[in-house]
Amino acid sequence: MSENKHTSHVAIAIDGPAASGKSTVARRLAQRLGLIMINTGAMYRAIAWTTIQKHVDAADARAVIAMLGGVEITCGVNDGGSTILIDGVDPGDALREDPVNARVSKVAAIPEVRDLLVAKQRDYLALGSLVMEGRDIGSVVFPDTPYKIYIDASEEVRLARRSAEGLADVVSQRDAEDSKRKTSPLIVADGATVIDSSDMDIDQVVEVALDTLQSQGLKI
Ligand code: DC
């Protein structure tokens, strides 16, 4: 099962647009397979949250890069899932609130932010085999892993899922920004299998994902 030149650990890449259900599926897959689950969106969200705390314009790349030089970003794992601390502080639920939603695609478009976070994402593989979800996991973070899934859903379904969670999110605007940015845009990675979850419930998506991983060679 060794797909990484440094370790025998395996990376399962789960990518897709906002509110496609990929976080829930990734979490369920990690539980079923006994793997660590890494939420990379939370890492970009934590940087967006920091710009708010420090009164930095998230669209000003130079200011964001300068800000990063002065903060300590600590990525870890707790209870099987990823954690992130900024100068020792856990931003918690604030990561999913409107001010962060409005800024996160802007900081995620800055190449230096991506370089910093991609390095931290790759470091997680030293801890164990993992399921990692995001936008560029199969294309950039772990391009060599054979285990790649892209979870999609119609825009209508994705908006309905977000509002069912009681969250107003600028889903369409974030998707447009995430897909058109120059560095590591949201794409279906080479070798990824697309699962359209629009007409499936979560249990069905998890079963299809497990079948897909098996057909990609994962021993389950
Ligand atoms: O998965 P999410 O919706 O919480 O991600 C928040 C934002 O972070 C998303 O709009 C784009 C960015 N992101 C990214 O650019 N690359 C990733 N691997 C994960 C998230």
Side-chain angles (χ1 to χ4, degrees):
M1 290 234 292
S2 170
E3 270 71 42
N4 183 278
K5 48 185 178 285
H6 303 299
T7 76
S8 60
H9 297 149
V10 164
I12 297 176
I14 310 286
D15 290 301
S20 59
K22 63 189 184 317
S23 302
T24 313
V25 173
R27 196 160 49 242
R28 295 270 294 270
L29 285 175
Q31 283 163 356
R32 286 275 286 267
L33 300 169
L35 307 182
I36 310 167
M37 145 76 183
I38 311 296
N39 174 350
T40 62
M43 299 168 76
Y44 291 94
R45 287 173 179 276
I47 305 297
W49 176 83
T50 309
T51 65
I52 300 167
Q53 306 306 304
K54 306 264 183 203
H55 307 286
V56 167
D57 178 359
D60 181 344
R62 283 170 58 177
V64 173
I65 294 162
M67 177 195 84
L68 288 177
V71 291
E72 193 184 11
I73 304 165
T74 313
C75 295
V77 170
N78 185 25
D79 209 12
S82 51
T83 56
I84 185 158
L85 302 177
I86 302 290
D87 287 335
V89 176
D90 177 357
D93 291 343
L95 291 186
R96 305 214 63 82
E97 290 172 359
D98 282 347
V100 168
N101 286 332
R103 290 166 175 79
V104 64
S105 293
K106 293 176 177 48
V107 300
I110 302 171
E112 289 82 353
V113 169
R114 304 201 69 84
D115 288 347
L116 180 82
L117 296 185
V118 166
K120 290 180 181 293
Q121 290 156 13
R122 290 183 179 143
D123 284 349
Y124 268 117
L125 201 58
L127 299 182
S129 293
L130 51 82
V131 179
M132 186 173 282
E133 60 112 341
R135 302 293 188 291
D136 61 341
I137 312 306
S139 58
V140 173
V141 183
F142 295 119
D144 296 335
T145 182
Y147 314 123
K148 300 184 189 184
I149 293 178
Y150 184 98
I151 301 197
D152 212 347
S154 69
E155 187 169 333
E156 201 185 347
V157 166
R158 291 188 290 113
L159 287 170
R161 284 178 185 163
R162 267 294 188 269
S163 61
E165 291 169 355
L167 298 170
D169 189 354
V170 282
V171 164
S172 317
Q173 189 191 320
R174 283 203 288 128
D175 284 342
E177 289 186 48
D178 296 340
S179 302
K180 70 170 201 267
R181 68 176 176 232
K182 283 203 188 76
T183 312
S184 315
L186 171 65
I187 51 161
V188 179
D190 279 348
T193 300
V194 179
I195 300 175
D196 184 344
S197 71
S198 305
D199 299 318
M200 292 187 220
D201 66 24
I202 197 71
D203 290 333
Q204 290 171 314
V205 185
V206 171
E207 289 313 315
V208 174
L210 284 168
D211 286 350
T212 301
L213 292 171
Q214 230 165 348
S215 68
Q216 290 176 342
L218 190 72
K219 305 277 179 287
I220 295 177

